[in-house]
Amino acid sequence: MTSGTFISFEGGEGAGKSTQIRRLADRLKADGADVVLTREPGGSEGAEAIRDLLVNGAADRWSPITETLLMYASRRDHVERVIRPALDRGAVVLCDRFADSTRAYQGAGGDAPAALIAALEDHVLGGTIPHLTLVFDLPAEVGLARATARGGEARFESKGLAFHERLRAGYLEIARREPERCAVIDADADLDAVTAAVWDVVAARLGL
Ligand code: TMP
């Protein structure tokens, strides 16, 4: 039986998730919580090795189906070695991206079949699903401009505006279909306003 709390942060490029997840971690830690801050692809030694394959190189290095399988190989290792043990001991796990990224990037943005992704979720996650998912939403061109200015790993950023518009729509569709799990955060607001919105949702939904 899981006694911990699992929160995932999702959204397109340049949405500010990483800043906000750190702020939430700091606040929860200050309140005395056992917080595990992690990310995908990656978060465990094996998953970080797979991440290197995924985020570097040419945009067409992997097909959407191959990418899906690599994401799920890394996700399984991360769930087995980091997320599940943390939840079992009662920690709050904050994960920068999780399964919805595959639905949005490889499914809505690419053309990996929804049935394949659903089957992987069923068989690979073993019920390890976030209690709350924050979907950071902003116009694709605003996020891409922020991500380009920041620099760094750029394989997914280089997939073009139409791809990023499809994935934004994919995320909003996930949130529309699963309103109990998901909350949409307006990420096109100033940093402190986004932090306040995140805290309001976390406090209201989870009572943390
Ligand atoms: P990051 O920049 O948020 O660390 O994520 C690395 C990239 O990996 C990002 O461009 C989104 C992409 N990604 C997927 O395409 N599918 C997935 O399932 C995950 C977790 C990430």
Side-chain angles (χ1 to χ4, degrees), residues 20-75:
Q20 296 299 337
I21 204 169
R22 276 195 302 272
R23 288 185 171 193
L24 180 60
D26 289 346
R27 177 153 185 184
L28 292 171
K29 279 183 198 161
D31 289 348
D34 173 4
V35 178
V36 173
L37 175 52
T38 187
R39 70 165 181 182
E40 289 206 346
S44 63
E45 196 183 335
E48 288 290 332
I50 298 172
R51 178 190 174 94
D52 284 342
L53 298 172
L54 280 161
V55 300
N56 297 307
D60 63 356
R61 180 179 187 187
W62 310 109
S63 74
I65 289 182
T66 312
E67 252 171 37
T68 299
L69 297 172
L70 287 168
M71 290 295 175
Y72 265 89
S74 70
R75 183 161 299 133

Side-chain angles (χ1 to χ4, degrees), residues 109-128:
D111 57 4
L116 169 67
I117 297 172
L120 287 165
E121 286 182 12
D122 268 7
H123 293 284
V124 177
L125 298 184
T128 305

Side-chain angles (χ1 to χ4, degrees), residues 121-169:
E121 286 182 12
D122 268 7
H123 293 284
V124 177
L125 298 184
T128 305
I129 291 166
H131 299 100
L132 172 65
T133 296
L134 301 171
V135 175
F136 285 65
D137 180 61
L138 84 174
E141 62 273 20
V142 176
L144 276 177
R146 284 191 197 167
T148 305
R150 177 186 66 198
E153 299 155 329
R155 183 167 165 263
F156 286 93
E157 287 160 31
S158 67
K159 283 181 183 273
L161 187 59
F163 173 90
H164 291 278
E165 279 170 347
R166 285 199 302 281
L167 89 87
R168 180 189 190 195

Side-chain angles (χ1 to χ4, degrees), residues 13 17 39-41 51 55 71 75 96-98 101-102 105-106 156:
E13 306 299 317
K17 288 177 291 90
R39 70 165 181 182
E40 289 206 346
R51 178 190 174 94
V55 300
M71 290 295 175
R75 183 161 299 133
D96 191 341
R97 298 192 179 284
F98 193 64
S101 282
T102 308
Y105 278 76
Q106 282 67 50
F156 286 93

